[in-house]
């Protein structure tokens, strides 16, 4: 990651699906934006004296990577991103006709679009979800898809946040649903993600 300067504006765009937005699956509605990881990341920067950092929540529930590509200009470029944190995959992997190659092609394209514009890139892994969300077959895809995403990030020089293994062992704590299948981050999880992202970015601000 390149070096940024504390006395200059820095914009971090968090671009993803409902787990970026912060969504309450049991209620089928957006949750408080203050509980989303972008808001908590903004708070961490402010608390540590980084007053020129702006963190934007560009989370869109029920979207896939085709949406991410189609809206890249509006959500990332037009928002003047210096860093983009991608969080797409759940709505791709859960489809009956889920296609890993299509997913990887879209993610590679998104990474390339950022690189072409000198935007630093980070990506979240696809989060764990309960078997009753989209069936055993869907859940069994997770390790393979995340492994392939890890390899893509490694080859493209993209920083990776492991939001899969960090939370899969304690679903009752890290996923919010109690009446419907667990699939959305809890407030505890978003706090951890914010801390992970801050720890990765902060050393590059001088």
């Amino acid at each position: 990651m390149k070096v940024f300067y504390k006395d200059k504006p820095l914009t971090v765009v968090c671009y993803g699906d409902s787990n970026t937005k912060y969504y309450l699956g049991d209620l089928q509605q957006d949750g408080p934006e203050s509980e989303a990881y972008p808001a908590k990341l903004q708070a961490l920067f402010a608390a540590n004296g980084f007053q020129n950092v702006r963190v934007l929540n560009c989370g869109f529930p029920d979207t896939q990577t085709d949406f991410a590509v189609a809206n890249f200009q509006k959500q990332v470029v037009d928002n003047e991103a210096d860093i983009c944190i991608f969080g797409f995959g759940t709505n791709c992997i859960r489809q009956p006709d889920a296609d890993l190659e299509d997913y990887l092609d879209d993610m590679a394209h998104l990474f390339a679009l950022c690189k072409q514009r000198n935007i630093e890139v980070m990506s979240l892994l696809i989060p764990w979800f309960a078997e009753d969300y989209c069936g055993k077959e869907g859940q069994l895809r997770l390790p393979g898809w995340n492994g392939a995403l890890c390899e893509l990030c490694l080859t493209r020089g993209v920083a990776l946040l492991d939001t899969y293994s960090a939370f899969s062992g304690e679903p009752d704590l890290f996923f919010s649903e109690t009446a419907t299948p667990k699939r959305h981050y809890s407030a505890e999880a978003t706090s951890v993600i914010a801390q992970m992202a801050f720890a990765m970015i902060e050393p590059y601000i001088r």
Side-chain angles (χ1 to χ4, degrees), residues 17 19 87-94 100 103 123-129 141-146 149 160-165 185:
D17 53 29
N19 271 316
F88 289 97
T90 298
N91 296 308
C92 300
I93 198 172
R94 71 179 176 88
L100 175 58
Y103 172 70
S123 182
L124 311 182
L125 285 183
I126 304 170
W128 177 91
F129 49 75
R141 293 186 190 118
L142 278 165
W145 279 51
N146 274 327
L149 180 57
L160 191 68
L161 299 180
D162 183 0
T163 47
Y164 174 62
S165 61
Y185 296 134

Side-chain angles (χ1 to χ4, degrees), residues 16-193:
D17 53 29
S18 53
N19 271 316
T20 295
K21 182 64 177 177
Y22 191 69
Y23 194 78
L24 303 176
D26 285 347
L27 299 178
Q28 290 292 290
Q29 65 184 40
D30 294 344
E33 188 153 344
S34 60
E35 296 290 0
Y37 92 79
K40 294 180 177 182
L41 179 57
Q42 177 78 78
L44 281 172
F45 280 117
N48 285 275
F50 296 97
Q51 303 303 322
N52 290 318
V53 178
R54 177 179 66 142
V55 182
L56 301 181
N57 186 337
C58 296
F60 299 89
D62 203 30
T63 55
Q64 301 181 42
T65 51
D66 57 346
F67 172 93
V69 172
N71 291 275
F72 178 85
Q73 176 71 38
K74 180 178 180 181
Q75 301 303 327
V76 181
V77 179
D78 292 354
N79 278 318
E80 301 181 337
D82 296 295
I83 300 171
C84 183
I85 306 176
F86 289 106
F88 289 97
T90 298
N91 296 308
C92 300
I93 198 172
R94 71 179 176 88
Q95 302 301 323
D97 58 349
D99 189 308
L100 175 58
E101 292 306 313
D102 284 349
Y103 172 70
L104 293 175
D105 285 348
D106 282 344
M107 292 303 294
H109 186 44
L110 290 165
F111 296 163
L113 289 171
C114 285
K115 297 289 187 179
Q116 289 165 12
R117 292 160 176 81
N118 204 30
I119 299 169
E120 292 294 327
V121 195
M122 301 168 63
S123 182
L124 311 182
L125 285 183
I126 304 170
W128 177 91
F129 49 75
E131 179 181 334
D132 50 351
Y133 175 50
C134 62
K136 186 67 173 178
E137 183 178 357
Q139 192 185 58
L140 287 173
R141 293 186 190 118
L142 278 165
W145 279 51
N146 274 327
L149 180 57
C150 285
E151 184 174 350
L152 177 64
C153 289
L154 181 63
T155 59
R156 298 300 177 94
V158 172
L160 191 68
L161 299 180
D162 183 0
T163 47
Y164 174 62
S165 61
F167 305 130
S168 59
E170 295 185 81
D172 287 340
L173 175 63
F174 291 122
F175 295 87
S176 64
E177 286 84 8
T178 58
T180 59
K182 291 185 179 299
R183 61 205 184 276
H184 290 105
Y185 296 134
S186 66
E188 288 79 8
T190 61
S191 294
V192 174
I193 296 169

